[in-house]
Amino acid sequence: MKTVCTAGTPANEWIFFSISARNLTFNTGAINQQMCGQQLERFVAFWTLVFIRIVTGFAGEGRSVWKKDPHFSPVSETQVFLYDTFPKEFLWGIGTGAFQVEGSWRKDGKGSSIWDRFVHSEFRDAGSTDASSDSYTLLDKDLSALDFLGVTFYQFSISWSRLFPTGVVAAPNEKGLQYYNTLIDSLLYRNMDPVVTLYHWDLPLMLQEKYGGWKNESVIDIFNDYATFCFQTFGDRVKYWITIHNPYLVAWHGYGTGIHAPGERGKITTVYSVGHNLIKAHAKVWHNYKKQFQPYQKGMMSIVLGSHWIEPNKSEDALDISKCQQSMDRVLGWFAKPIHGDGDYPEELKNEFSFLPRFTEDEKNYIKGTADFFAFSFGPNNFKPPNTLPKMGQNLSLNLREVLNWIKLEYNSPRILIAENGWFTDSHVKTDDTTAIYMMKNFINKVLQAIKYDNIDVFGYTAWSLLDGFEWQHAYNIRRGLFYVDFKSEKKERIPKSSALYYKQIIRENGFFPRESTPSLQAQFSCDFSWGITESVLKAESMASSPQFCDSSLYLWNITGDGLLHKVKGVKLKTRPAQCTDFVSIKKQLDLLEKMKVTHYRFALDWSLILPNGDLSVVNRQVLRYYRCVISEVLKLNVQSMVTLYYPTHAYLGLPGPLLQTGGWLNQSTAYAFQDYAALCFRELGDLVKLWITINEPNRLSDVYNRSSNDTYQAAHNLLIAHAMAWRIYDEQYRSFQYGKVSLSLHSDWAEPANPYFESHSKAANRFLQFEIGWFADPIFKTGDYPATMREYIGFKNRKGLSYSSLPSFTSEEKQLVKGAADFYALNHFTTRFVIHEPQNGSQYEFDRDIQFLQDITCLSSPSRLAVVPWGMRKVLGWIKKTYGDIDIYITANGIDDQSLDNDELRNYYLGKYVQEVLKAYYIDKVKIKGYYAFKLTEEKSKPRFGFFTSDSKGKPSIKFYNNLISNNGFPAHYSVCDPSNQEKQCSFCLFVSQKKPLIFFACCLFSTLILLLPIIVFHKRKRRKRFKAKSSQCICVSF
């Protein structure tokens, strides 16, 4: 018997079979030699196939996409936004559908389609669909729009009924034929490839009325005749053909839900029968082209398949993953598996629906492989209406990269054309389609990631669509075009939207270039740079937690009775003086700070605890002692304190009760009370404190005083006066001998125009900075008054009757008081806000700004949706220097929330990137940055996890990362320029001694004991040795 191999199975696996050897006449040696050669060939072929499979993946393995790597990192370079370019040969295109944009539905002999009748019977405003964008008569304007974008191909569909009014191939409509010839020739003249769709849902009406449309198999042959005519007429100039656009929607919504033409709400059996016929129609046309036309026209053909994407509720749950696979099988797999797979429907569909039409074996072989590439549609039509999608209890997702990976694994790494992608805006949106920009940015970057990181062969991208047009069941209630069209105008000009400008930029750059062009620096901060950690309000202990060393009483423990301690009367013990370390919470703070290795510690006092009545009538000396203990004990660690006097939040205003009852910050007397409180703190603690913050984030108290804008502005006014009076007290009474500095911390997030193509967005971003930062910074660091921009804009809104807000006025004395009342600029920075101009009506602080925020979905974000935008830090630092001069700056809070307790790598990523931008501002932009304080030391229960330590003081890995930043003083190239002096080394030794006193004392005692015992041991050993010798000599004498 002779062994022979062949490759004929669907999975292309090698199989072996035997044939008769009775006719063999070779000699045995030759046979053995031949068989050895064949075995070697089979061995090489088998392992070659295995290698190919390892690289490309095995078909049918799509479900592995949902099995997440347990070591998955959200900050991996493969997950964050990718700044890179597409392959040089990548194709950039844009598409339209004939019925959506051509208009002229009864012009020049065009026949009616099912959508013409559906619109006029189902839509109220039917007349408006007659013209639409009117591409049929305004072709030149469409071509100008294509020229503007610079695309490499234009994907459009042919209106079947414009060529053949009845749908049956006969003499073509000459006007329609001329239109498509002109369009194709014009594209080729511009070096743009035409990508032609034969059927985009507009079936000739007569075929629906006579045959029942796609329910009838007779339409398959009629469609093939129509396709044949198109190949014969246009095929010499067309290299990319699409047979049918998104057959799932044709079957499901045309014959199931009835929201698409022909509007039939049939049985589920009808839906799958229609899908069956669409698959066979596509296969027939593909074979026709392959056999009759492709050999000399050299074109390629596919079918556009659309789908949603879905994510499991739990990625580790096998049942949830199976449901996701079922969902994809029921939509994309329904058509993709027969065409791109094994020629048959997914097993899940066949098992679920017994009525599903069956393919014969011949049909399976005929259908499978009938696509030269995988044309994929991913857009809003695939997600609407959501209640019609087979979600299987799982979660819809817009992750284009994931679905591309699913296609790769499920269908053996096909070449992919993104044949439709984009989003929509509301009908009232004209050219400012900012949301569409960010959706496009996200989608295209996901494609780039799929190419670069996942080795997915995507060769082209089609943005959808060129023009605003008729959007199927939504009619004109939404817009999807990159060019705005006023449907009611006569000229119907094509006006580029923001998305057109953005897409043009992507095409020109062939990808994405980073905004921040400065590479990472290898440099260090100054040797006296402050590395700090920030904490919020420290809750003081009213009495020592460990009083056992200062209580002179003797106690008996009634262990067998009530279990209580009972004082022994008349007995007094010798005690020691009270110590700061009697407070257990201070010990904990010291332990945490020692692990952080910072040079500075920022924390806040509790005003309401120190002065419970709000004035100096009652001073809680025990609380003051506690805070003094914190500062003094921290100093022993060589850590300086930055003390915040007042730290309000939207949840806790932090004012003493009596002040709250009299109106809080709406009452100017609170400012004078704050002055007294500040003076007390300076007097009691100032000898130990060199950096003071009067008020933390007063520009965020609008969240509390929000009854009206005037309340907000009045509270802010009083806060400014309070700060200025506190600063003046320190400057006049304490600075001369305490040598400290005082400022206030302002929340200073950067603002970026969400849409860089609109001046109104740039103005809105600047307005945000003036209302958010300039509101407090201008009076102090600049003019002694509120920003002119702020006053002017509020006045403008007043004149329009849109607001009744008014900013308080500073008296000349107040201006003199406020101006210059800060020794440095202290900023809390967490993120960058993307700002949209959004006119609003009402007398609220938020409404006065006329802005809205947009969440950039392409940005890495925290669980609380803080966008990680490191370059925003450098920009805000530069803006402060430019606006307020060359002043000292302390970054008093910077951090992010990270849910992870054992691997907070998001925080590491954030710290590294943001400190790098601080270094650039310091080193390149020459901003006088004096210190950086990470936020924050410990997290709070039931709140976003900002802490380096958990609420129960468990450290996180980010501590070590921050330690390295501090020890390196930045990002040094090879060596540190800040080598410690001998004195510093000596101080470090002293610090070690002071920290390890108990251990050193114990070691000394142990050593002394050993020294004392050593002579005794030696003495006894000698004595025993003499006795032994004496006994030995006595024994010898006796023996003699």
Side-chain angles (χ1 to χ4, degrees):
M1 300 292 289
K2 177 184 175 183
T3 307
V4 184
C5 57
T6 184
T9 63
N12 290 329
E13 294 175 349
W14 293 95
I15 60 172
F16 302 91
F17 59 92
S18 298
I19 60 173
S20 173
R22 60 189 173 188
N23 295 323
L24 293 179
T25 56
F26 303 111
N27 62 44
T28 305
I31 291 175
N32 289 337
Q33 187 177 5
Q34 183 179 6
M35 290 180 68
C36 290
Q38 289 171 348
Q39 287 175 355
L40 179 62
E41 288 175 4
R42 287 198 297 273
F43 178 81
V44 172
F46 173 76
W47 285 107
T48 301
L49 182 65
V50 169
F51 175 76
I52 292 171
R53 287 291 186 243
I54 291 172
V55 173
T56 63
F58 290 90
E61 292 184 348
R63 67 177 62 240
S64 63
V65 169
W66 293 293
K67 296 175 183 177
K68 300 300 182 185
D69 182 357
H71 304 293
F72 170 80
S73 170
V75 298
S76 164
E77 66 173 9
T78 65
Q79 301 302 318
V80 297
F81 190 87
L82 175 60
Y83 290 99
D84 205 341
T85 57
F86 285 83
K88 290 182 179 180
E89 66 279 4
F90 194 80
L91 304 177
W92 294 102
I94 198 160
T96 56
F99 185 79
Q100 295 179 279
V101 299
E102 281 186 5
S104 305
W105 75 287
R106 286 184 290 190
K107 192 173 183 178
D108 293 341
K110 178 186 178 297
S112 294
S113 72
I114 55 174
W115 269 96
D116 291 316
R117 184 179 70 176
F118 187 68
V119 166
H120 288 83
S121 62
E122 298 290 331
F123 291 78
R124 292 180 181 178
D125 192 16
S128 65
T129 64
D130 296 349
S132 185
S133 305
D134 208 8
S135 290
Y136 180 72
T137 58
L138 300 174
L139 176 58
D140 288 342
K141 294 184 177 181
D142 286 0
L143 293 171
S144 296
L146 292 168
D147 287 336
F148 177 87
L149 293 174
V151 293
T152 50
F153 70 86
Y154 177 41
Q155 183 177 325
F156 66 92
S157 69
I158 294 174
S159 173
W160 188 347
S161 58
R162 193 178 292 283
L163 281 184
F164 301 104
T166 65
V168 178
V169 174
N173 176 13
E174 288 300 326
K175 291 287 187 179
L177 185 61
Q178 180 183 348
Y179 169 73
Y180 291 116
N181 272 319
T182 302
L183 172 56
I184 292 170
D185 291 340
S186 300
L187 292 173
L188 293 174
Y189 177 77
R190 289 166 167 77
N191 292 321
M192 298 177 189
D193 287 324
V195 177
V196 180
T197 301
L198 295 172
Y199 181 70
H200 197 138
W201 308 354
D202 49 351
L203 186 73
L205 181 59
M206 186 173 289
L207 297 183
Q208 181 67 32
E209 293 176 336
K210 184 175 180 180
Y211 297 101
W214 289 106
K215 294 184 293 185
N216 194 323
E217 286 195 34
S218 301
V219 177
I220 295 174
D221 291 327
I222 299 173
F223 179 62
N224 187 50
D225 293 340
Y226 155 63
T228 300
F229 173 83
C230 292
F231 300 150
Q232 292 170 338
T233 308
F234 311 120
D236 58 326
R237 291 159 291 167
V238 176
K239 302 306 175 188
Y240 296 96
W241 291 96
I242 301 296
T243 55
I244 302 167
H245 188 91
N246 211 335
Y248 171 83
L249 297 180
V250 176
W252 192 258
H253 290 323
Y255 296 86
T257 66
I259 63 174
H260 281 192
E264 294 188 12
R265 292 173 176 84
K267 299 178 180 179
I268 191 70
T269 53
T270 303
V271 172
Y272 284 101
S273 177
V274 167
H276 200 70
N277 289 337
L278 288 167
I279 291 171
K280 293 202 287 188
H282 158 76
K284 185 159 191 171
V285 169
W286 187 88
H287 280 287
N288 178 16
Y289 182 78
K290 198 76 170 178
K291 183 178 180 181
Q292 303 295 333
F293 301 97
Q294 193 183 50
Y296 63 93
Q297 291 184 355
K298 307 299 182 183
M300 292 190 289
M301 180 177 292
S302 189
I303 178 173
V304 171
L305 303 181
S307 182
H308 63 310
W309 180 241
I310 199 155
E311 297 281 358
N313 293 322
K314 297 178 181 178
S315 58
E316 67 278 5
D317 191 320
L319 181 59
D320 283 353
I321 290 175
S322 293
K323 289 179 178 178
C324 288
Q325 180 71 19
Q326 291 171 27
S327 178
M328 294 302 296
D329 279 343
R330 291 190 181 191
V331 180
L332 186 53
W334 178 9
F335 294 90
K337 190 166 182 286
I339 295 168
H340 294 277
D342 60 5
D344 200 2
Y345 294 119
E347 291 300 318
E348 192 276 333
L349 271 183
K350 292 194 293 184
N351 295 334
E352 184 72 18
F353 304 119
S354 58
F355 52 79
L356 194 70
R358 304 293 178 177
F359 292 115
T360 65
E361 288 302 317
D362 288 340
E363 285 176 333
K364 291 177 186 178
N365 292 327
Y366 186 74
I367 290 167
K368 73 176 180 182
T370 55
D372 299 314
F373 53 92
F374 198 115
F376 182 58
S377 165
F378 194 72
N381 288 330
N382 300 304
F383 289 86
K384 290 187 171 185
N387 61 334
T388 66
L389 286 168
K391 292 182 287 186
M392 314 292 289
Q394 307 307 304
N395 307 304
L396 292 176
S397 168
L398 294 176
N399 196 326
L400 178 53
R401 179 182 175 185
E402 291 289 282
V403 71
L404 290 174
N405 269 281
W406 188 85
I407 291 170
K408 172 189 175 181
L409 293 170
E410 196 73 9
Y411 302 113
N412 199 21
S413 301
R415 296 193 73 214
I416 300 174
L417 170 69
I418 307 297
E420 178 190 2
N421 183 236
W423 210 242
F424 65 93
T425 60
D426 293 332
S427 59
H428 65 83
V429 175
K430 295 185 178 179
T431 55
D432 184 3
D433 59 340
T434 305
T435 304
I437 286 180
Y438 284 88
M439 295 300 289
M440 176 183 287
K441 179 183 177 184
N442 177 53
F443 286 137
I444 295 179
N445 201 257
K446 292 296 184 185
V447 175
L448 181 60
Q449 290 174 348
I451 294 171
K452 295 290 184 177
Y453 296 137
D454 308 328
N455 296 315
I456 298 176
D457 188 6
V458 183
F459 67 91
Y461 176 87
T462 311
W464 204 274
S465 72
L466 178 65
L467 310 170
D468 288 336
F470 181 79
E471 291 301 333
W472 311 113
Q473 74 268 27
H474 302 288
Y476 294 100
N477 294 318
I478 64 171
R479 293 176 178 269
R480 289 191 67 191
L482 272 64
F483 286 80
Y484 171 77
V485 178
D486 182 354
F487 303 120
K488 296 180 181 178
S489 67
E490 291 184 8
K491 293 185 178 180
K492 293 185 173 60
E493 297 294 345
R494 277 65 168 141
I495 305 172
K497 301 181 186 180
S498 304
S499 54
L501 299 170
Y502 186 63
Y503 192 44
K504 179 180 181 178
Q505 175 184 324
I506 290 175
I507 294 171
R508 183 176 66 249
E509 297 175 352
N510 198 35
F512 302 91
F513 283 91
R515 295 189 186 203
E516 177 53 67
S517 57
T518 307
S520 295
L521 278 181
Q522 288 188 315
Q524 290 178 292
F525 294 97
S526 63
C527 296
D528 61 348
F529 191 79
S530 302
W531 290 99
I533 187 71
T534 294
E535 187 61 290
S536 51
V537 177
L538 281 189
K539 291 297 181 183
E541 297 179 56
S542 58
M543 60 181 292
S545 311
S546 304
Q548 63 267 31
F549 297 114
C550 53
D551 187 351
S552 60
S553 300
L554 178 66
Y555 295 87
L556 289 177
W557 183 14
N558 188 2
I559 190 169
T560 59
D562 56 12
L564 300 178
L565 293 173
H566 297 274
K567 187 183 292 186
V568 178
K569 294 180 180 180
V571 179
K572 293 294 181 182
L573 303 175
K574 191 175 181 180
T575 62
R576 63 160 174 76
Q579 296 180 2
C580 288
T581 49
D582 292 339
F583 295 102
V584 171
S585 60
I586 292 180
K587 292 180 182 177
K588 289 182 179 179
Q589 291 288 319
L590 295 176
D591 288 342
L592 303 186
L593 286 173
E594 191 175 1
K595 291 175 182 176
M596 291 303 301
K597 294 182 171 55
V598 292
T599 63
H600 285 70
Y601 176 42
R602 182 191 172 201
F603 67 92
L605 311 179
D606 193 326
W607 182 3
S608 62
L609 284 180
I610 295 173
L611 299 178
N613 291 342
D615 57 25
L616 299 177
S617 62
V618 177
V619 179
N620 192 329
R621 294 288 170 182
Q622 186 67 17
V623 170
L624 273 175
R625 176 177 173 266
Y626 174 86
Y627 286 130
R628 186 172 181 84
C629 278
V630 171
I631 297 166
S632 61
E633 290 300 312
V634 164
L635 273 173
K636 292 177 183 178
L637 297 178
N638 277 355
V639 175
Q640 296 283 336
S641 293
M642 176 186 278
V643 177
T644 303
L645 296 174
Y646 179 51
Y647 195 102
T649 66
H650 70 278
Y652 176 65
L653 196 53
L655 285 173
L659 296 181
L660 273 175
Q661 293 169 10
T662 56
W665 288 108
L666 294 177
N667 190 330
Q668 195 170 10
S669 64
T670 303
Y672 291 96
F674 182 76
Q675 180 187 31
D676 294 339
Y677 162 61
L680 173 68
C681 294
F682 295 150
R683 184 171 64 251
E684 298 292 331
L685 307 174
D687 59 317
L688 301 177
V689 178
K690 303 306 176 189
L691 292 171
W692 291 95
I693 298 296
T694 56
I695 306 168
N696 184 69
E697 297 189 352
N699 52 342
R700 281 301 173 96
L701 275 184
S702 58
D703 294 338
V704 179
Y705 293 99
N706 58 4
R707 186 176 60 182
S708 70
S709 55
N710 290 339
D711 278 0
T712 304
Y713 298 136
Q714 187 58 54
H717 193 77
N718 292 334
L719 281 159
L720 266 170
I721 298 297
H723 158 76
M725 289 194 300
W727 186 87
R728 295 292 172 190
I729 283 286
Y730 190 86
D731 191 54
E732 294 169 2
Q733 298 183 20
Y734 299 97
R735 188 189 303 276
S736 61
F737 61 92
Q738 290 185 356
Y739 309 108
K741 295 182 179 181
V742 182
S743 188
L744 79 172
S745 283
L746 296 178
H747 194 106
S748 304
D749 285 340
W750 179 244
E752 195 73 14
N755 189 333
Y757 305 105
F758 268 79
E759 187 181 1
S760 63
H761 288 233
S762 298
K763 289 181 177 179
N766 182 62
R767 194 162 59 248
F768 170 82
L769 294 174
Q770 295 298 333
F771 271 75
E772 181 86 353
I773 302 175
W775 184 17
F776 282 81
D778 270 34
I780 296 172
F781 296 101
K782 203 170 184 182
T783 62
D785 198 0
Y786 296 116
T789 302
M790 197 173 175
R791 284 198 183 277
E792 290 167 4
Y793 201 78
I794 291 174
F796 161 76
K797 296 202 71 173
N798 287 341
R799 291 190 296 273
K800 292 282 188 179
L802 301 174
S803 173
Y804 299 100
S805 303
S806 62
L807 279 172
S809 297
F810 289 100
T811 65
S812 58
E813 292 81 6
E814 287 175 336
K815 285 184 178 181
Q816 189 175 359
L817 174 73
V818 171
K819 186 176 179 181
D823 301 313
F824 56 90
Y825 188 107
L827 71 141
N828 299 344
H829 177 90
F830 297 93
T831 188
T832 290
R833 315 297 291 271
F834 294 91
V835 179
I836 296 172
H837 172 69
E838 184 71 32
Q840 299 181 70
N841 189 355
S843 299
Q844 295 283 337
Y845 166 72
E846 286 78 11
F847 297 165
D848 286 344
R849 302 181 300 181
D850 281 348
I851 62 172
Q852 286 288 348
F853 301 117
L854 182 142
Q855 187 79 19
D856 184 353
I857 59 175
T858 67
C859 280
L860 178 66
S861 297
S862 74
S864 65
R865 302 187 71 186
L866 283 178
V868 181
V869 189
W871 48 261
M873 171 67 91
R874 183 181 178 187
K875 284 199 171 188
V876 77
L877 290 169
W879 183 86
I880 292 168
K881 178 183 178 182
K882 179 181 177 181
T883 308
Y884 302 115
D886 197 19
I887 57 177
D888 290 349
I889 296 176
Y890 283 86
I891 299 161
T892 47
N894 179 239
I896 197 166
D897 57 307
D898 189 331
Q899 283 294 103
S900 178
L901 297 177
D902 55 359
N903 187 20
D904 54 342
E905 53 190 340
L906 175 59
R907 182 171 292 108
N908 289 344
Y909 179 87
Y910 181 96
L911 286 171
K913 295 294 183 182
Y914 273 75
V915 172
Q916 176 65 220
E917 293 302 314
V918 173
L919 183 63
K920 290 176 185 177
Y922 171 82
Y923 197 82
I924 298 173
D925 307 332
K926 306 303 179 185
V927 180
K928 293 172 66 176
I929 304 165
K930 295 296 182 180
Y932 173 89
Y933 291 66
F935 183 84
K936 71 195 224 17
L937 184 62
T938 56
E939 63 190 32
E940 300 173 65
K941 290 181 179 179
S942 305
K943 289 188 177 181
R945 299 182 182 276
F946 278 92
F948 285 85
F949 291 90
T950 64
S951 56
D952 54 355
S953 302
K954 291 181 180 178
K956 302 178 185 178
S958 53
I959 296 170
K960 185 177 181 181
F961 184 87
Y962 194 40
N963 289 164
N964 289 334
L965 281 176
I966 295 170
S967 62
N968 291 325
N969 199 31
F971 303 89
H974 301 292
Y975 61 91
S976 172
V977 297
C978 301
D979 290 328
S981 64
N982 293 331
Q983 185 178 2
E984 288 174 329
K985 290 179 181 177
Q986 185 179 358
C987 289
S988 298
F989 175 74
C990 295
L991 177 63
F992 173 79
V993 171
S994 65
Q995 290 174 357
K996 306 297 182 182
K997 281 180 181 177
L999 182 63
I1000 294 172
F1001 176 73
F1002 175 76
C1004 290
C1005 291
L1006 183 63
F1007 181 74
S1008 301
T1009 304
L1010 289 174
I1011 294 297
L1012 291 172
L1013 286 174
L1014 189 61
I1016 296 172
I1017 294 170
V1018 171
F1019 173 76
H1020 279 282
K1021 277 192 172 183
R1022 286 179 177 177
K1023 193 173 182 180
R1024 292 174 72 180
R1025 191 177 294 118
K1026 287 180 179 178
R1027 286 179 181 175
F1028 178 76
K1029 285 182 177 179
K1031 286 182 179 181
S1032 298
S1033 59
Q1034 190 176 6
C1035 290
I1036 293 170
C1037 292
V1038 171
S1039 61
F1040 276 113

